[in-house]
Amino acid sequence: MEFLGNIGLGFSVALSFTNIFYCFLGALLGTFVGVIPGLGVLAAISMLFPLTFHLEPTTALIMLAGIWYGTTYGGSTASILLNLPGTPANAVTCLDGFPMARQGRGGVALFMTTVASFFGASFGIILLTLFTPVIAEYALRFGSAEYFALMLMGLVAASTISEGSAIKGLSMMVLGIIIGLIGMDSQTATARFTFGSLGLLEGVSLIALAMGVFGVAEIIMSVRRVKATDIDPDSVRLKAIKPTRDDVRRSWMPMLRGSTMGSFFGTLPGTGPSIAAFLSYAVEKRLSKTPERFGKGAIEGIMAPEAANNSADQTAFIPTLSLGVPGSATMALMLGALMIHGIAPGPTLISDEPELFWGLIMSFWVGNIILLILNIPLIGVWVRMLTIPYNLLYPSVLMFICIGAYTASFSPLNVWMVFAFGALGYAMRIFRFPGAPLLLGFVLGPLMEEHFRRAMLLGRGDFMTFFDRPISAVIMALTGLILLWSIWGSEGVRKRRTDRAPSAGTDHDPTEKASET
Amino acid sequence: MYRFDYTDLAGGMLLFLIGAGVSLVSVGNYPLGTLPRMGPGMFPAILGVVLAALGVSLAIQALRRTGSRPDVRFFSPLFVLGGVMAFALTIVPFGLIPAIVSIVVISSLAELRIRPVSLVLLCIALSLMAPLVFVVGLGLPIPLIRWPF
């Protein structure tokens, strides 16, 4: 009965007028950002992040989460109609979605991917509801050694798995931790790396870092590259959205398999929706009796990845909410929003803040139903959004970023930090360093230091304390394996690649963009 | 096409310099403490060494493969970052609307092509929209226009 009571509590929070409104706002903005290429989910979240200062923490998270899963819905629209993936997670949907649109079945494809998205999301939400409290209860037994080990594993996995070069990912993670240490040391009140600036005592602003590294740097990269799209009105006119009986019959199993795979990869650090979508597409093609249909408008080829990326969007919240260990940069921003409101993430979150936890999860239902209803009738509007010229869009986004940074503390220092991190972000693009590990390291850095110091204090200065305790020893061993595997793997991949194509660094490997989710 | 991957070579050396710098500053300025009772300098000193080591290994790898020329632009970062800088300089002394106009005008130059009509319209539209959202909608106390002299 306690479970039902919690669900009821969640719905009572999620169905309040304010929360429905901000959920709607988030989902709408997410869809908008998802449709438009050159505007990533991280840029959108960091743009609206300053707003969360002025909202209740629950409402703030509901809105940010709405942006996150809304982009995945919106991204499929651009993939199908225009062969332009709005987000990396939708890239694989182009393969069969665009051929369907050219055969005049664009309406069917959009309708069916919306169904698949909703199915996948529902699958993910159910798992999230069932497993998060169980994991959190187990994690209550963890001490500082376990936490340090867990965070280290999360960071190492996220930095090495999805990126091209493990060393680059790891170095950005370390750099992120170092940036996170700037400011007053919480235990001794020593000012570190502030160089005399009083404003830096409070540390580097998460908003400025995210907006600079992801928002401003993305704009610098996209200026004069992204062009407004010419849309053939015929491809958008939806003749029929009703799927045939054959479509429906073919869609069930891919949807189910996609959701299962998506849920699994969503919980792991470093994988997330893009990888889930790619793998589920590959699985469908392998299992199909008629693999030659793939790439020519096979409905299985859009159902599985769209179910997978949406379920991964939802299950990504499992480690974030139950352990306080985010697996991706977006989840790190969610945790950041909690911490700004003084809520400590971790296994006690569910028992300390039941309204927040259950309200947030139940708002996912509200948001996904809003998206289900919004998506089909508004397709025309979304497509017209693509015709907004980038030369009008980017100065507006830049202005919102600056005002947002300024209003976070009413000090121009934050705007200067956006400037500095914009420059850093652009330099990172030139040197091809990934941004996600930097942000993850930044959010987890101070917590890691605290747990590291405490564990060393309890272990009397012996590093073996991380290997004496069984849970922490297992996690450390896993971290070691991930490290070895990724270093060995990336070396091998690079060798094979340079043998085949000499321009290894410049080819567009879709997994390279996976970090952006 | 170059003989070495100069991009990664430079990136690795930069990481080495940053890491070494962080370690030196930590060891020089903050108490290290002992392992059971770590001072504020210990953790960053360790991280700096790790970063420097990663930088060295990246640079060594870069010597073992060929590389391509990175796509570096000059005007895009100049005008986009210049716009942000102009906003930071104007927001306090002059208020919101001058800051909006300066960031929009300067960052628009990154297109390397001036469209006066659409630029003026964009400035007007954003100068109306931003105060509506932030000052009226969210009730934030930002002065719209100010004259410091």
Side-chain angles (χ1 to χ4, degrees):
Chain A
M1 277 332 272
E2 198 203 337
F3 184 69
L4 286 182
N6 285 332
I7 304 256
L9 173 72
F11 273 117
S12 72
V13 174
L15 291 177
S16 78
F17 177 76
T18 330
N19 287 343
I20 291 184
F21 174 75
Y22 280 101
C23 189
F24 174 78
L25 195 70
L28 194 72
L29 194 91
T31 316
F32 172 65
V33 170
V35 171
I36 293 184
L39 251 188
V41 56
L42 268 166
I45 290 188
S46 40
M47 231 164 79
L48 282 203
F49 202 81
L51 269 184
T52 60
F53 279 99
H54 314 287
L55 299 174
E56 289 285 304
T58 312
T59 313
L61 276 187
I62 287 176
M63 182 180 76
L64 294 182
I67 302 175
W68 161 240
Y69 51 74
T71 46
T72 316
Y73 272 82
S76 61
T77 308
S79 295
I80 290 170
L81 293 181
L82 304 160
N83 206 16
L84 288 171
T87 73
N90 302 101
V92 75
T93 309
C94 292
L95 296 179
D96 277 288
F98 188 59
M100 278 183 83
R102 285 174 62 187
Q103 293 156 16
R105 285 164 42 81
V108 178
L110 287 171
F111 177 76
M112 289 304 276
T113 48
T114 307
V115 173
S117 300
F118 187 74
F119 184 89
S122 308
F123 196 88
I125 300 172
I126 292 170
L127 291 181
L128 175 63
T129 317
L130 293 177
F131 284 112
T132 315
V134 181
I135 297 173
E137 204 170 304
Y138 183 73
L140 283 175
R141 281 182 270 165
F142 287 6
S144 279
E146 280 81 14
Y147 270 112
F148 177 77
L150 209 59
M151 287 178 186
L152 190 67
M153 181 173 81
L155 279 180
V156 166
S159 325
T160 53
I161 289 176
S162 63
E163 303 298 330
S165 158
I167 291 181
K168 286 184 177 177
L170 289 171
S171 48
M172 285 302 104
M173 168 194 112
V174 176
L175 187 64
I177 301 176
I178 292 173
I179 296 174
L181 298 182
I182 295 176
M184 186 118 71
D185 170 30
S186 60
Q187 293 180 25
T188 58
T190 315
R192 288 189 289 188
F193 307 111
T194 57
F195 306 104
S197 154
L198 283 180
L200 274 178
L201 275 183
E202 288 172 37
V204 168
S205 148
L206 170 64
I207 297 169
L209 182 112
M211 292 200 291
V213 171
F214 296 100
V216 176
E218 179 75 45
I219 288 173
I220 297 176
M221 293 305 285
S222 308
V223 172
R224 290 191 286 133
R225 288 215 180 96
V226 175
K227 292 197 176 62
T229 336
D230 290 321
I231 297 165
D232 174 15
D234 274 345
S235 73
V236 186
R237 202 170 296 136
L238 305 174
K239 285 165 199 122
I241 63 164
K242 199 163 168 276
T244 63
R245 192 166 295 169
D246 187 50
D247 288 336
V248 177
R249 190 179 54 79
R250 283 178 188 281
S251 298
W252 273 110
M253 286 315 285
M255 223 154 68
L256 200 62
R257 281 191 290 263
S259 305
T260 317
M261 289 187 66
S263 302
F264 176 70
F265 286 107
T267 55
L268 298 184
T271 51
S274 309
I275 289 182
F278 273 98
L279 287 179
S280 67
Y281 184 83
V283 164
E284 288 311 318
K285 198 172 172 182
R286 173 77 44 98
L287 288 177
S288 171
K289 289 191 190 95
T290 49
E292 66 280 358
R293 284 173 46 249
F294 279 75
K296 294 173 193 143
I299 194 154
E300 298 95 317
I302 57 171
M303 297 306 275
E306 283 302 311
N309 58 27
N310 280 281
S311 62
D313 276 358
Q314 304 295 346
T315 54
F317 280 95
I318 294 180
T320 311
L321 294 176
S322 66
L323 303 171
V325 178
S328 67
T330 325
M331 289 297 126
L333 278 178
M334 302 275 167
L335 279 194
L338 277 180
M339 293 196 247
I340 281 169
H341 284 280
I343 297 170
T348 51
L349 178 80
I350 301 176
S351 46
D352 288 352
E353 306 276 345
E355 282 102 1
L356 186 143
F357 175 77
W358 294 104
L360 177 64
I361 291 190
M362 292 308 133
S363 85
F364 295 166
W365 289 113
V366 179
N368 276 288
I369 289 169
I370 290 174
L371 286 166
L372 186 65
I373 299 169
L374 270 186
N375 228 309
I376 301 293
L378 289 185
I379 284 163
V381 178
W382 299 133
V383 171
R384 219 154 296 138
M385 293 284 185
L386 279 166
T387 55
I388 300 177
Y390 199 69
N391 64 332
L392 296 182
L393 198 62
Y394 82 84
S396 321
V397 171
L398 212 54
M399 177 206 80
F400 274 106
I401 286 178
C402 286
I403 299 181
Y406 174 70
T407 53
S409 64
F410 293 102
S411 123
L413 178 71
N414 271 353
V415 186
W416 285 111
M417 282 199 239
V418 170
F419 173 82
F421 285 114
L424 175 72
Y426 183 60
M428 283 163 60
R429 303 271 172 133
I430 293 175
F431 289 113
R432 294 193 289 265
F433 286 124
L438 184 87
L439 186 63
L440 272 169
F442 175 76
V443 171
L444 289 182
L447 287 171
M448 273 179 88
E449 186 191 20
E450 210 182 306
H451 284 298
F452 185 64
R453 279 177 167 181
R454 204 179 297 153
M456 290 300 272
L457 181 67
L458 293 172
R460 298 198 177 78
D462 188 355
F463 283 109
M464 286 317 284
T465 182
F466 296 108
F467 300 95
D468 287 341
R469 303 168 61 113
I471 300 176
S472 132
V474 169
I475 301 172
M476 287 303 248
L478 279 174
T479 312
L481 280 179
I482 295 171
L483 261 182
L484 283 178
W485 176 75
S486 66
I487 289 170
W488 175 78
S490 68
E491 284 286 280
V493 168
R494 190 166 302 126
K495 269 207 190 102
R496 260 178 279 136
R497 252 199 219 166
T498 33
D499 287 349
R500 239 182 327 161
S503 59
T506 48
D507 60 353
H508 278 285
D509 185 350
T511 49
E512 260 168 41
K513 267 199 94 183
S515 63
E516 225 208 307
T517 58
Chain B
M1 193 48 113
Y2 298 117
R3 251 181 77 207
F4 304 123
D5 190 343
Y6 284 107
T7 319
D8 278 8
L9 188 64
M13 293 201 291
L14 267 178
L15 288 179
F16 171 78
L17 289 179
I18 297 172
V22 166
S23 283
L24 287 180
V25 169
S26 313
V27 172
N29 298 336
Y30 315 121
L32 284 179
T34 57
L35 274 180
R37 287 202 169 273
M38 276 188 267
M42 181 74 87
F43 199 63
I46 298 174
L47 288 176
V49 172
V50 174
L51 189 63
L54 286 168
V56 169
S57 55
L58 185 66
I60 290 175
Q61 282 191 353
L63 289 177
R64 284 168 33 199
R65 60 170 179 257
T66 56
S68 52
R69 197 186 150 80
D71 181 12
V72 185
R73 292 214 171 163
F74 179 69
F75 287 109
S76 309
L78 180 77
F79 288 116
V80 172
L81 292 173
V84 176
M85 192 196 259
F87 186 96
L89 289 174
T90 46
I91 180 77
V92 172
F94 296 99
L96 186 60
I97 289 176
I100 292 175
V101 172
S102 52
I103 191 174
V104 171
V105 171
I106 295 176
S107 66
S108 292
L109 296 177
E111 284 280 317
L112 299 184
R113 187 173 146 194
I114 300 169
R115 302 178 177 84
V117 181
S118 76
L119 188 58
V120 169
L121 288 178
L122 184 66
C123 281
I124 294 173
L126 290 177
S127 300
L128 289 174
M129 196 167 91
L132 268 179
V133 172
F134 289 95
V135 181
V136 180
L138 289 169
L140 301 177
I142 319 173
L144 292 185
I145 240 172
R146 216 189 239 169
W147 188 246
F149 307 110

